[in-house]
Amino acid sequence: MAATKSKTSSFSRNLMGAQLAQTPGLKQGLNGATFISSGIPNLDKILGGGFPLGSLIMVMEDVEAPHHLLLLRNFMSQGLVHEQPLLYASPATDPRAFLGTLPCPILTKDDKVIDREPEQKGLRIAWQYKKYFGENQQSSEGHRGLGNHLRAFANLKRGRCIIDLFLDASLRSTQVLAKTRQEYCNDFDLRKPLERRLLSGGHIDCVSLKDYTNITAFQDRCSSFLAKFARNDAGPRCAGRIAIQSLCAPQCGYAEMEWDMISFIRCLKSMVRSSNAVALITFPPSLLSPSFAKRWQHMADTLLSVRAIPDEDKEMAKLLTGYQDMVGLLHVNKVAQINSQVPVILEASTFSMKLQKRRSLVLERLNQAPVDGSSGTSYGTSAGCSGSSKSASIDF
């Protein structure tokens, strides 16, 4: 007798969204794409949610200022806050020293109130416990008998209450830490370093590009790292991050092997595409020939570029509002299109990089400064019917 076939329905419940909601640092997007945060809330909104899993992000550096390190630090810190494994490669001799410059997440007002309350209770409880202990010591020296036992019993009861309060305080601090990890993207304070307990884990792998005279050996290192995040039907339980700084730096032994670097980027892109990981590479295009620099840009899924702002650019100061608060410019050249052929059209492609309260990095659209007392218009917006306004384009 033939085996009876189980009835299947065309409707199946998708449990991927519920699983991603419990996984810190991941977010479900359109067309089945899963996003990972860049570490900058404004950049996540610009890109439509963040960096898609399985994508290759490339950042073009500016030789005049290391603004690309701002993006790299936030990207790495966001992954360490979510306890996501990290592979960091740098042309420096000691790449682990760069971990000491990673910023710390900023706590909200509610988190600060909860975090300060256990410390205040601990100080008050310690003082009360010391007072009770002094009374017990004096009574033990002066009196012997039943009164001593009663006081000891009362002190024991108070000690149990003290222990319960301390456990409650530690539980609240743990809740604050869990709440920080559950946030998809945090604001980071560039003035405060990341906590050492997040840097002491075994999920951080630092590599010096100087140690690899052959880039194929470094490719094998990336392959073994990405093998831990192979995709399966169960969905991503954890995501990995690869951060490579200045891949074509002169300190590397393969800096002049342009075709070998092209082959490495192509292989890295294919390996990342089939894994639950994201790779971010920064490179100075001025060190490459124009043809190879274009090849690098075409292979990137998401392409960003940073530019420094001169201190005394009077023409740009008259053109843009808030010029004094800008530290640089960020240009979005390309946005990743995962599981979709519809092009992404942004309202603006160039954004100003500012330090809010001199500690957190924010991105804002460029606004044209008022001319002749009229109100300024933003780039990408149409002019009014009363007159025509000519907005000068910025040569990025």
Side-chain angles (χ1 to χ4, degrees):
M1 183 176 178
T4 58
K5 296 182 179 181
S6 59
K7 297 181 180 180
T8 59
S9 174
S10 59
F11 173 80
S12 61
R13 185 178 180 182
N14 187 9
L15 301 178
M16 185 69 68
Q19 184 176 359
L20 290 178
Q22 300 176 357
T23 305
L26 299 179
K27 183 174 68 174
Q28 186 72 23
L30 299 176
N31 303 320
T34 304
F35 290 100
I36 193 172
S37 176
S38 64
I40 306 174
N42 302 115
L43 184 57
D44 290 344
K45 294 179 182 179
I46 294 170
L47 300 178
F51 298 145
L53 280 183
S55 62
L56 175 65
I57 300 94
M58 304 190 74
V59 179
M60 292 187 289
E61 305 176 4
D62 188 0
V63 294
E64 297 182 0
H67 291 323
H68 62 281
L69 296 179
L70 297 175
L71 306 180
L72 192 65
R73 288 191 180 101
N74 285 31
F75 174 77
M76 296 171 60
S77 296
Q78 188 65 70
L80 295 180
V81 168
H82 291 150
E83 295 184 353
Q84 296 171 349
L86 171 66
L87 173 61
Y88 171 64
S90 170
T93 306
D94 186 13
R96 185 166 289 273
F98 183 75
L99 300 179
T101 63
L102 299 183
C104 179
I106 301 175
L107 297 178
T108 61
K109 294 182 179 179
D110 297 337
D111 296 340
K112 289 181 180 179
V113 172
I114 297 176
D115 194 17
R116 290 176 183 175
E117 188 177 357
E119 297 179 359
Q120 296 175 358
K121 282 187 176 180
L123 293 174
R124 185 170 62 251
I125 292 168
W127 176 78
Q128 290 179 355
Y129 183 77
K130 185 176 180 180
K131 181 181 66 175
Y132 297 144
F133 180 78
E135 291 180 0
N136 188 16
Q137 187 177 6
Q138 293 175 1
S139 61
S140 61
E141 292 177 356
H143 303 280
R144 305 284 182 178
L146 182 61
N148 251 350
H149 296 285
L150 294 176
R151 290 190 182 91
F153 179 77
N155 289 337
L156 179 61
K157 188 175 181 181
R158 293 191 188 98
R160 290 179 179 176
C161 296
I162 291 169
I163 294 174
D164 295 338
L165 290 175
F166 270 116
L167 291 176
D168 185 41
S170 61
L171 179 61
R172 291 188 180 183
S173 60
T174 306
Q175 291 176 353
V176 171
L177 179 60
K179 184 178 180 181
T180 305
R181 290 179 180 176
Q182 289 177 359
E183 292 183 2
Y184 175 70
C185 184
N186 300 95
D187 289 319
F188 291 92
D189 190 350
L190 300 176
R191 301 175 302 178
K192 296 182 180 180
L194 196 63
E195 298 180 5
R196 292 185 178 181
R197 58 179 180 78
L198 297 176
L199 303 176
S200 59
H203 56 282
I204 303 176
D205 191 4
C206 295
V207 175
S208 178
L209 296 177
K210 287 184 177 181
D211 300 337
Y212 296 93
T213 56
N214 186 3
I215 197 171
T216 306
F218 178 60
Q219 177 180 332
D220 296 338
R221 187 71 172 269
C222 296
S223 177
S224 60
F225 176 80
L226 293 174
K228 306 174 185 177
F229 312 99
R231 293 191 177 182
N232 49 30
D233 298 336
R237 296 182 179 179
C238 183
R241 299 188 182 220
I242 296 180
I244 304 176
Q245 177 186 349
S246 302
L247 181 60
C248 58
Q251 296 88 342
C252 305
Y254 50 83
E256 298 180 357
M257 304 176 184
E258 294 184 339
W259 283 110
D260 293 342
M261 289 188 290
I262 287 289
S263 177
F264 166 75
I265 296 175
R266 185 181 294 110
C267 293
L268 179 63
K269 182 178 180 179
S270 62
M271 291 187 296
V272 171
R273 186 76 78 206
S274 59
S275 63
N276 296 317
V278 170
L280 189 147
I281 301 176
T282 67
F283 70 98
S286 59
L287 299 181
L288 299 172
S289 60
S291 60
F292 278 92
K294 290 294 182 181
R295 290 175 183 268
W296 283 44
Q297 298 175 24
H298 285 299
M299 286 190 295
D301 295 318
T302 300
L303 181 62
L304 308 174
S305 58
V306 293
R307 175 187 172 186
I309 296 180
D311 296 334
E312 298 180 357
D313 194 345
K314 297 181 180 180
E315 295 182 359
M316 188 173 292
K318 295 179 180 179
L319 181 64
L320 301 176
T321 59
Y323 173 78
Q324 302 297 333
D325 300 331
M326 298 181 187
V327 297
L329 297 175
L330 174 70
H331 188 75
V332 183
N333 302 83
K334 187 195 300 185
V335 181
Q337 302 177 14
I338 303 298
N339 303 333
S340 176
Q341 296 181 354
V342 179
V344 179
I345 301 176
L346 302 176
E347 296 181 358
S349 58
T350 305
F351 301 87
S352 63
M353 304 172 61
K354 297 182 180 180
L355 293 179
Q356 187 177 9
K357 298 181 180 181
R358 297 183 180 181
R359 61 175 186 174
S360 60
L361 180 63
V362 295
L363 303 177
E364 295 181 358
R365 291 184 58 181
L366 296 179
N367 295 326
Q368 184 177 358
V371 180
D372 297 333
S374 60
S375 59
T377 57
S378 302
Y379 285 100
T381 58
S382 59
C385 299
S386 58
S388 61
S389 62
K390 297 181 180 180
S391 60
S393 60
I394 297 179
D395 186 10
F396 200 86

